[in-house]
Amino acid sequence: ASPLHVNLWSISKIASKEVKVILHGQGADENFGGYEWYQTMHEAFNYKKAPNQFLTYYAGIQESEKNRLLTTNFKRVNASLNKVTEIFQSYKNLGQQDNLSAICYIAFHLGLPEVGLKEVDAVTMNFGLEARVPYLNYDLVEFGCTLPEDLKIKFNSEKYILKEAFKNSLPR
């Protein structure tokens, strides 16, 4: 689990004493360009190197380096690269050429189901708490996919459009 889930653990423990359902922001970063590394990757994005680039920025380690550290029993040669390549190809088949959307698309198909949603579910269910993820509503995801890059990241601000949409409703 990620160290970030220590916060979710604490919040879930407290919330479960009062409520049975909470809202979680999972999916907002993936759909609206919210991760800081998206900016860095976006600036260096190269369609020919996209799967390798994604793994470097996402995981912080290349497959070859990872396999150098693992014992034979745990090595899965090119498993991650093959998966990211497959996801990226399905993105290209949609006929899109938006760099940030490509990054978000891969993150949606790799990070959320394999890590993010499983961890949120495991942590909250430990306390009998149901976590709902409104940012993964189909219509909202579909809308986010149509947004141009400069509404997701603008003036070095991630999730620009979300911040603008709620700036008068939420405290700074």
Side-chain angles (χ1 to χ4, degrees):
S2 165
L4 298 172
H5 289 95
V6 172
N7 294 330
L8 181 59
W9 178 274
S10 300
I11 290 168
S12 297
K13 184 176 181 179
I14 294 166
S16 68
K17 295 174 184 169
E18 302 289 328
V19 298
K20 290 292 170 197
V21 179
I22 62 168
L23 298 178
H24 192 280
Q26 195 70 274
D29 288 318
E30 289 80 2
N31 203 23
F32 296 103
Y35 292 116
E36 198 173 300
W37 60 269
Y38 278 13
Q39 284 192 50
T40 307
M41 184 176 173
H42 177 255
E43 291 165 8
F45 197 81
N46 178 327
Y47 261 80
K48 291 182 175 140
K49 299 177 182 176
N52 278 315
Q53 277 185 319
F54 184 88
L55 286 173
T56 299
Y57 287 99
Y58 180 77
I61 188 170
Q62 281 294 317
E63 184 114 1
S64 58
E65 181 68 12
K66 178 187 75 176
N67 280 323
R68 189 181 66 74
L69 299 170
L70 297 173
T71 64
T72 305
N73 292 336
F74 289 96
K75 288 181 185 180
R76 293 187 62 202
V77 178
N78 292 329
S80 299
L81 182 58
N82 291 343
K83 183 67 176 171
V84 172
T85 301
E86 176 186 317
I87 294 168
F88 184 63
Q89 187 58 52
S90 71
Y91 173 79
K92 289 194 324 188
N93 290 344
L94 297 174
Q96 302 214 8
Q97 292 291 317
D98 179 324
N99 292 347
L100 185 58
S101 292
I103 296 163
C104 294
Y105 185 90
I106 297 169
F108 256 118
H109 288 82
L110 185 71
L112 275 177
E114 295 297 324
V115 179
L117 294 173
K118 286 181 182 179
E119 289 178 354
V120 168
D121 191 50
V123 171
T124 56
M125 290 307 290
N126 182 66
F127 297 101
L129 194 60
E130 177 76 22
R132 301 290 168 90
V133 286
Y135 285 108
L136 293 178
N137 170 278
Y138 179 83
D139 293 327
L140 187 57
V141 170
E142 195 171 66
F143 169 72
C145 290
T146 66
L147 292 174
E149 294 177 352
D150 67 340
L151 289 180
K152 294 179 182 183
I153 297 177
K154 190 171 194 168
F155 308 120
N156 290 324
S157 177
E158 300 93 7
K159 294 189 279 192
Y160 176 78
I161 192 169
L162 282 182
K163 292 174 183 176
E164 284 297 303
F166 294 106
K167 73 179 178 187
N168 295 325
S169 303
L170 297 172
R172 187 163 164 63

